[in-house]
Structures are given as C-alpha cells and as structure tokens.
Amino acid sequence: MKISRWALVCILSGAFTEPAFAVDPQQIFSQGGPNPGVIACSTCHGADGLGMPAAGFPRLAGLPADYLTKQISDFRSGTRGNPIMQPIAQALSEDDSKALAVMLAKMPSPAVKPVTRAHAAKGPGEILALRGAWDRNIPECVACHGPSGIGVGATFPPLSGQSAQYLKSQLNTWRQQTRKNDQDDLMGHIARSLTDTEVEAVSQYFADLSK
Amino acid sequence: MKPIIAALITFNIISMACATEIVEPTAPPKSPNPTQNKAPRFSPPAEETLPDNAFGRLVQQGHAIFVDTKANASEFVGNGLNCTNCHLEQGRKADSAPLWGAYTMYPAYRKKNDKVNTYAERLQGCFQFSMNGKPPPADSQVIAALTAYSYWLATGAPTGQQLPGRSYPEIPEPAGGFDLAKGKAIYAKQCSVCHGAEGEGQRAGSDYVFPPLWGKDSFNWGAGMHRINTAAGFIKSNMPLGKGGTLSSDEAWHVAAYMNSHERPKDPRMIAGSVEQTRLKFHENDGVNLYGQKVNGVILGQGTE
C-alpha cells in the first residue's frame, strides 16, 4: 500500500511538473543556463534576437529551428569553428539547445525587400547574388538561398536580415576553412573562389535588403 | 554583466579582423572542371551592353520569363519548374543547353514531331513537355520575348553551325548498364540535400527554389529530360550545382536513371490512355528511357494526378 501510494505521487509529479534538469529556453535566452558556461543568448544576440551588427553577432530570431540546432551541434564538434560559441555550445545540453532553437525560430524577423533573378543586376554584389560568376562555377546566391536570400529549408540559411559584418565574417571563415559544416564543400568552394571585393559587396547587398 | 558584453564584443571584433587579415587578397582560383575548356566557347553578350530601347526591354522581359517562369508566364506553366532549372546561368552556360547554341540552329527538322520546327515551335515544345503546361501561341508576347532573349544571347554566333557547348554533352553509358540501386545511393548522398529525399524539391514560401525532379510538379513523360542519356549529360556537366564535372560518367548515368525511374505527369501525347501504345509510338526509339517499363512492380508512364 505504501509503495503504490509513493508510485502514484511519483507519476503525478512527473506528469505535472518539469523535470529538474529541463530549463525554460526563455530563461536561458535572457538569463543564461544552469551551467555557468552558458551565457544568456541575449547578451550578444540582443533581447529581440536580432543580433548586434557592429560586433558581428548574428540574428537568431526567425531562423529555422533545425538549422539552429545543427549550428549548435557543429560549434560543439568544431566543424563550425568559433572561439566564443564553442564553449557555450559544449556547456549547453542537447535538449536545451533544441528547446532554444524552437523558441528562437518563432521570434519575429525583419521584413525583406522582394528581389528575384528577374531584376536587373548592377554592381558586383547584386551581380553575384542574382547572376553568379559561372566562369568560376559560382551559382547565383539566390539559386540556393532563395529569392532575396530569405533562406531555404534547414540547410540554406537566410542571408537577408543579417548584418554585412556577420555575412562577411562567415564568408571569411568559409575561405579559411575554420567553418566547414556544409555538405560536399558546396559553400566552401564558392567562398574560396570569391575576391575580397566580392565578399564586401555581396555581404553589403544582402544586408541592405532588410533596411 | 557589462564587462562581459564588452569583452565578448571586443573579442568578436578582433576575431573578425583576424579573419579578414589572414585571407590573402587573391585573384580567384580557376576551378578545374573537366567538362569545360575543351574547345573555345562562344561568349554571349554582357548584360550591361543591352540597349535601353524597345528591343532591350523585350529582351529583359524574355530574361524575366526565363528565370521566373511561373511568375511571368503563369498561364502556360503546369509545374514547379523554371526554364533556368535546366538551362543554367539564365540560359548562358555551355553544356547546359544554352540559348545561344539553340537559337542559331532553327528552323530544323525534329524527329520528335517529324517536321521542320521553327524556333517558336521549339519553345512551345518546352512549355508543353518540360513545363508540363500549354504551348503559348506563336504570336504571343511570351514567345516574342523568349525569342528576343535567345536572339540577343546569340549575338555574333554563326547560324546553322553546331557550336561547342550547345545542348548537353553525350556521355558514355556504363559498361554494365545503369544501376538503380547505385543511383539511389548517390542521390541520397549528393542530391537530396537540395532536391529532397523524395525528389520533391524545396520551396521558399510558396515558390520552388530547388526544382522537383519527379512527381506531379516536375517535367512530364514527354520532356527530353526523361531520357536517361540526356539527364546523364546534364547531371555530369552541371550537378551538384556549382560542382559540375565532379561525378563520374557512370555515377551520372546511375543517378539519372534513378531520377527517371519514378512516376511523373503523363505524356500529353498519350494515345487512348494506353502506356503501351504511347511507348511504341513515342518512346521506343527515343534514347534510353524507362517509359512503359516495369520498375518495382509498377509500369511507369501512367502519370501522376
């Protein structure tokens, strides 16, 4: 009798209260995680999750949950090298990173100017974005990242709604191969074929689409 | 909290600066691509040379239809494809059936319909089969604009001469024939990231970004791309996007066969609802294809809904 009563209490408490190790993602986002290594996301990515352009911290708000989860996992493993994010990702549990990603995906993201390949392309950034540089096997950016670079599925992240600083820093990590978390070097080979001028211009182009 | 933020910002700015410095300013390296640079290729004119007049505007309209077909020629499109899905670089790329290689070869006899076709009729064929839609009337604005765009891309090209890089290259069939199981494995490893696990393509919002390769929103059984030999040539030269020439000829054949071993919209020329009659008339002597063949216990060619 005693045992079964305890069993009942355990079942009920399990069903109606959060297990001790699960933490509210909103709390991790704004106050940090249970592990002191997990600094509040909002510290660098902003209270609205829209990033901190001047310092190169990206927008997380509105990014697909599966993309975010994969990035955390890649920071942890080092295929996406980043000295700030790697220890944070390692201190973050898998469940917490998933819960955070789901929450972040639902946060509002900036409006983006609609542009397709049908538009006339002027200047090196727009030409790369809408026409590519096929003599170097570089497809139009929008061929994979979607019209206006709004992103496609869990694999091809949005380019618009990110700052020029962030986009440029990422292109450079692809070029240095400290970021190599793509399939079959699909992004890596493109980044390595770009000139410095093109990296600047195309980063600015996509950043300007959400201004 | 403030010192942490300041430290992180400083750290990130320094790492961004380092990232920029480590990369040496380089002339872009030439990507090796075995399917290119075999012969001198025709160069279509640069976009900025397009005149700002009525002709230039018609060419621009043709370009807009070509790259965003559903939005700009919606009444003639019956699937999720754009012209530029098979004719890469907006119809400019060699070995990807460039418009400059096609325009100068018409009028021409085609076995497909056993008559001399004008360029307008050739374009109509694309809409009927590859776009699974309706052929725009020969005197329509859509045909006028696409013809103007093709004509302009072919500026300076000789007429009636097969230019190197036209159409898709012919590549040799594997010695032991194609293998659907190998094709499936290649597809899962290299193609599904863009085209989806079931060939369904991927959208951004309501519009397809990565084209569906089979199923109801893909090209129909009458399109040239349903031939395994044609698809293998396209894939070998152009896939994965931006990494053309990285698959072997055998791999291109296997994966082309896998793609074309799935059901897709029916051949609009279907005779009396009979796959077998249609096969005998239109598919038996049309390259290598699986129309009317049994794959996984089902005869292909009945068409999707």
Side-chain angles (χ1 to χ4, degrees):
Chain A
M1 191 65 182
K2 260 187 179 173
I3 293 166
S4 67
R5 196 177 289 168
W6 272 114
L8 194 67
V9 168
C10 289
I11 289 162
L12 286 176
S13 62
F16 296 113
T17 62
E18 293 275 292
F21 51 85
V23 176
D24 175 16
Q26 182 61 54
Q27 196 182 329
I28 300 177
F29 180 80
S30 46
Q31 291 163 41
N35 183 322
V38 180
I39 307 161
C41 313
S42 62
T43 313
C44 297
H45 296 281
D48 50 10
L50 293 179
M52 212 181 277
F57 296 120
R59 153 172 87 95
L60 304 178
L63 266 60
D66 288 346
Y67 175 77
L68 291 168
T69 309
K70 179 179 185 295
Q71 300 314 303
I72 291 292
S73 157
D74 294 345
F75 283 131
R76 202 181 285 140
S77 73
T79 54
R80 181 172 177 178
N82 184 297
I84 298 174
M85 276 310 296
Q86 185 165 28
I88 297 173
Q90 283 168 346
L92 197 59
S93 77
E94 200 128 319
D95 286 346
D96 286 345
S97 86
K98 273 185 193 151
L100 265 173
V102 169
M103 186 199 87
L104 288 163
K106 289 180 191 149
M107 290 169 69
S109 55
V112 173
K113 204 167 91 182
V115 185
T116 71
R117 278 184 272 195
H119 284 69
K122 295 190 182 88
E126 193 166 36
I127 287 173
L128 207 59
L130 305 182
R131 302 290 183 265
W134 280 94
D135 55 332
R136 285 174 274 151
N137 286 315
I138 301 174
E140 307 84 343
C141 308
V142 299
C144 294
H145 291 276
S148 305
I150 57 171
V152 182
T155 309
F156 302 91
L159 306 177
S160 47
Q162 294 292 13
S163 66
Q165 291 89 334
Y166 170 69
L167 293 171
K168 182 181 157 184
S169 76
Q170 290 314 295
L171 283 170
N172 282 327
T173 60
W174 286 114
R175 293 167 94 190
Q176 290 168 28
Q177 303 186 54
T178 50
R179 182 171 180 180
K180 43 187 188 295
N181 61 335
D182 56 344
Q183 181 180 309
D184 297 329
D185 197 32
L186 283 171
M187 189 63 226
H189 89 92
I190 292 169
R192 293 194 303 278
S193 298
L194 295 174
T195 64
D196 292 346
T197 313
E198 286 171 331
V199 168
E200 284 289 339
V202 80
S203 301
Q204 196 61 54
Y205 175 76
F206 281 107
D208 287 347
L209 289 183
S210 57
K211 275 180 186 166
Chain B
M1 216 49 184
K2 279 245 170 86
I4 296 176
I5 301 174
L8 285 171
I9 291 173
T10 313
F11 190 46
N12 208 38
I13 288 173
I14 290 169
S15 61
M16 283 201 301
C18 292
T20 316
E21 274 164 24
I22 294 163
V23 175
E24 287 171 22
T26 46
K30 285 272 175 219
S31 309
N33 184 336
T35 63
Q36 287 185 352
N37 308 323
K38 271 188 226 152
R41 293 292 165 83
F42 174 76
S43 289
E47 189 170 338
E48 65 264 24
T49 64
L50 193 63
D52 182 17
N53 57 21
F55 172 75
R57 284 187 289 279
L58 189 61
V59 169
Q60 270 177 348
Q61 193 191 354
H63 172 266
I65 293 167
F66 200 81
V67 296
D68 209 354
T69 317
K70 188 116 186 178
N72 296 310
S74 57
E75 59 187 301
F76 306 111
V77 177
N79 60 19
L81 305 187
N82 293 305
C83 306
T84 197
N85 290 144
C86 296
H87 308 271
L88 300 186
E89 197 186 357
Q90 312 104 45
R92 292 170 171 268
K93 190 176 174 298
D95 294 325
S96 184
L99 294 180
W100 47 260
Y103 180 78
T104 51
M105 296 305 288
Y106 285 86
Y109 173 81
R110 295 189 78 215
K111 203 172 68 173
K112 185 162 187 165
N113 51 16
D114 190 27
K115 66 170 193 173
V116 175
N117 289 222
T118 62
Y119 191 69
E121 287 171 306
R122 182 66 191 84
L123 292 173
Q124 288 174 322
C126 291
F127 280 95
Q128 192 183 2
F129 301 111
S130 301
M131 307 305 291
N132 192 34
K134 295 191 196 88
D139 60 355
S140 62
Q141 185 71 13
V142 167
I143 295 293
L146 286 170
T147 304
Y149 181 49
S150 308
Y151 166 82
W152 175 70
L153 285 178
T155 301
T159 55
Q161 283 180 37
Q162 301 211 10
L163 292 173
R166 82 178 285 261
S167 190
Y168 304 117
E170 292 285 333
I171 60 164
E173 198 172 350
F178 59 78
D179 183 328
L180 295 180
K182 283 182 185 162
K184 184 179 183 175
I186 296 162
Y187 183 84
K189 195 164 178 289
Q190 301 216 38
C191 315
S192 64
V193 63
C194 294
H195 295 287
E198 297 300 326
E200 72 276 22
Q202 278 197 78
R203 305 173 197 237
S206 59
D207 298 327
Y208 280 105
V209 173
F210 297 112
L213 302 184
W214 61 85
K216 64 178 177 55
D217 283 338
S218 189
F219 55 89
N220 69 39
W221 279 111
M225 199 59 87
H226 97 289
R227 287 186 301 263
I228 296 168
N229 52 309
T230 301
F234 169 76
I235 291 167
K236 166 78 179 153
S237 302
N238 300 301
M239 291 289 120
L241 196 70
K243 297 200 78 187
T246 56
L247 291 172
S248 71
S249 293
D250 283 7
E251 288 172 323
W253 265 86
H254 298 323
V255 80
Y258 176 70
M259 170 176 89
N260 286 336
S261 69
H262 292 87
E263 198 49 87
R264 55 181 63 263
K266 69 175 192 213
D267 190 332
R269 303 164 298 181
M270 199 161 194
I271 302 163
S274 163
V275 170
E276 182 54 15
Q277 284 187 51
T278 311
R279 185 187 75 78
L280 287 170
K281 184 158 172 67
F282 295 115
H283 298 269
E284 194 175 26
N285 296 309
D286 190 20
V288 180
N289 69 77
L290 288 168
Y291 188 87
Q293 309 290 316
K294 198 178 256 188
V295 174
N296 298 327
V298 182
I299 302 269
L300 291 172
Q302 339 254 8
T304 50
E305 281 310 302

